[in-house]
Amino acid sequence: MDIKSLVKPNVRSLNAYEAKEIPCKVKLDANESPYGFRNAIKAADKILTNRYPDPEAKALRGLIAKKFKVKPENLLFGNGSDELIYYLITTFGGPVLYPTPTFSMYGIISQALGERKVEIPLDREFDLDIEKMLGAIKKFKPRLIFISSPNNPTGNCFSSEKILKILSLVTRHSSLVVVDEAYQPFASEEGFLPMLKDYKNLIILRTLSKIGLAGLRVGFMIADEEIINEANKVRLPFNINSLSQAVAAEALKHRKAMDSYIKAVASERERLFDELSKINGTTPYPTEANFILFKTENPDRIYSRLLKKGVLVRNLNSLVKGCLRVTVGTPEENREFLNAIRKCLKKEN
Ligand SMILES: *Cc1c(COP(=O)(O)O)cnc(C)c1O
């Protein structure tokens, strides 16, 4: 039997997302936080393994609502914000428009669901090419527009004026704008939460993954109640498991620690950026996230040499020519990365 011929064409042409575990000593490839919340795991003691989790994640919902000063009805939780991207495209369909390069899941999920993708290249500063974006919105009338700001993998925030221009235009064209703020905690500006009251078609995506809880898979979206209610129809009933709900709720109570970890990462990022600027052979791009995209000669070779020394970064050469991406780690990890790349580059010359 030819299994391939049974697969839907849009899935047949898809490649599985590469998320293999690559053994290494210093792991700086996935934009995780170097700081976890191991002591929050004790909250899992009380959960009942024989019972289904709370389908509404009430305790966690209450904490997040308070933290972001929104109503519980304006929240929808996902098994990571990845799942919410899935739910949004399932609920509203395509065309799905987004700038490139950006987070790969917008395209992968659109294709998995058989929806049309419209990709608009960023300008030379990695900012939105506003003329092309507005033109494409008028032409393709996308149902959903995904904007990751700060953007993964470039690291920069897009100009707020440009995002606002898009929001104003699409109000008339009936599109929804999803501002994916996975890295907002590390950014200098406040993000688009305050805009929710002015734009009914704005959706904000957030996640706990980049601030120390990636293993729990908890993401959430903040939007108008009507949007939440529609997307909630396609949500699987028990999508956030009991362990994740309990441990995430406990970790969120350690607010001081969480804030200080975020600050530590942001200040290390500045140091790492300065050091990378000083190295002959690497050029970092400005970043507001917990990672740095940098240009280097022979990125494929530097990537492999770094890995040989036990340092894992992300090779983005095929997506952003000449570039690697390094996640900000602990001061010690960053030192090891810097020493390793200095040696790798020396060999190069
Ligand atoms: C990491 C990332 C996510 C996914 O986060 P999860 O909550 O772990 O699924 C979403 N958007 C962007 C831009 C990311 O980089």
Side-chain angles (χ1 to χ4, degrees):
M1 196 168 73
D2 181 12
I3 298 289
K4 273 225 164 68
S5 70
L6 300 176
V7 179
K8 293 197 284 182
N10 52 302
V11 177
R12 201 183 305 148
S13 58
L14 205 58
N15 294 314
Y17 185 77
E18 258 194 69
K20 278 182 291 194
E21 285 253 326
I22 302 172
C24 62
K25 191 161 125 260
V26 181
K27 188 175 184 310
L28 300 174
D29 67 323
N31 301 343
E32 297 147 328
S33 169
Y35 308 110
F37 292 85
R38 269 209 65 83
N39 57 1
I41 292 175
K42 63 178 185 289
D45 258 4
K46 296 184 212 90
I47 67 154
L48 302 170
T49 62
N50 58 319
R51 300 295 179 198
Y52 280 107
D54 173 2
E56 293 165 69
K58 281 187 287 298
L60 182 60
R61 181 181 297 267
L63 287 167
I64 298 273
K66 203 167 146 207
K67 183 175 162 82
F68 290 91
K69 300 190 177 66
V70 297
K71 285 188 284 181
E73 302 81 57
N74 293 115
L75 291 170
L76 188 71
F77 285 88
N79 195 271
S81 44
D82 284 355
E83 189 178 56
L84 294 169
I85 298 167
Y86 214 104
Y87 290 165
L88 283 168
I89 301 174
T90 305
T91 304
F92 298 103
V96 178
L97 184 145
Y98 48 89
T100 53
T102 193
F103 188 48
S104 58
M105 293 316 290
Y106 311 142
I108 293 171
I109 295 171
S110 299
Q111 190 173 337
L113 294 171
E115 299 295 349
R116 179 168 189 182
K117 304 177 278 188
V118 181
E119 303 186 335
I120 310 294
L122 293 170
D123 70 14
R124 292 171 54 145
E125 261 81 61
F126 292 147
D127 199 0
L128 298 171
D129 186 331
I130 192 67
E131 296 311 320
K132 283 209 191 101
M133 290 283 286
L134 297 179
I137 290 165
K138 286 180 196 154
K139 184 170 170 204
F140 296 100
K141 302 190 170 38
R143 289 284 180 79
L144 285 163
I145 299 166
F146 283 93
I147 296 174
S148 162
S149 187
N151 186 39
N152 180 9
T154 57
N156 57 307
C157 284
F158 298 131
S159 130
S160 315
E161 293 88 73
K162 289 182 180 176
I163 298 177
L164 286 173
K165 261 191 192 156
I166 291 172
L167 272 165
S168 305
L169 176 75
V170 299
T171 308
R172 283 180 276 127
H173 287 74
S174 309
S175 310
L176 296 170
V177 176
V178 186
V179 180
D180 184 342
E181 297 191 335
Y183 301 98
Q184 184 56 40
F186 304 101
S188 55
E189 284 170 40
E190 118 173 275
F192 272 71
L193 272 173
M195 302 294 163
L196 277 173
K197 61 179 190 320
D198 299 327
Y199 296 95
K200 213 181 137 124
N201 55 345
L202 171 64
I203 298 168
I204 310 268
L205 277 185
R206 291 283 192 127
T207 179
L208 303 183
S209 294
K210 313 293 153 71
I211 53 176
L213 299 166
L216 301 182
R217 308 303 297 129
V218 176
F220 50 98
M221 69 182 218
I222 312 173
D224 186 82
E225 198 177 338
E226 211 179 333
I227 293 175
I228 299 289
N229 290 343
E230 292 305 318
N232 192 38
K233 291 180 188 170
V234 303
R235 182 177 65 87
L236 300 174
F238 304 109
N239 62 329
I240 315 291
N241 72 69
S242 312
L243 284 162
S244 294
Q245 288 189 34
V247 178
E250 178 62 27
L252 283 169
K253 291 175 191 159
H254 298 250
R255 195 181 168 149
K256 268 203 186 133
M258 197 172 269
D259 289 348
S260 75
Y261 293 156
I262 292 168
K263 279 215 182 89
V265 168
S267 85
E268 261 303 293
R269 171 187 68 200
E270 303 308 309
R271 197 182 68 80
L272 187 55
F273 184 92
D274 289 345
E275 292 298 324
L276 276 172
S277 318
K278 281 187 236 158
I279 295 175
N280 201 348
T282 59
T283 310
Y285 289 97
T287 172
E288 301 256 4
N290 65 342
F291 58 84
I292 299 176
L293 181 79
F294 63 96
K295 213 174 188 118
T296 182
E297 274 167 43
N298 287 316
D300 295 338
R301 203 151 54 184
I302 298 294
Y303 169 83
S304 315
R305 283 187 184 163
L306 279 170
L307 191 54
K308 262 201 194 129
K309 295 183 186 301
V311 179
L312 180 63
V313 298
R314 188 71 184 268
N315 187 355
L316 286 167
N317 193 20
S318 55
L319 200 64
V320 198
K321 209 163 167 24
C323 287
L324 302 176
R325 188 190 71 192
V326 61
T327 304
V328 180
T330 61
E332 179 57 30
E333 288 171 327
N334 301 332
R335 234 181 335 264
E336 288 194 43
F337 159 72
L338 286 165
N339 287 338
I341 197 162
R342 283 190 193 105
K343 282 183 195 148
C344 294
L345 283 160
K346 241 184 219 142
K347 243 177 153 182
E348 197 71 17
N349 297 315

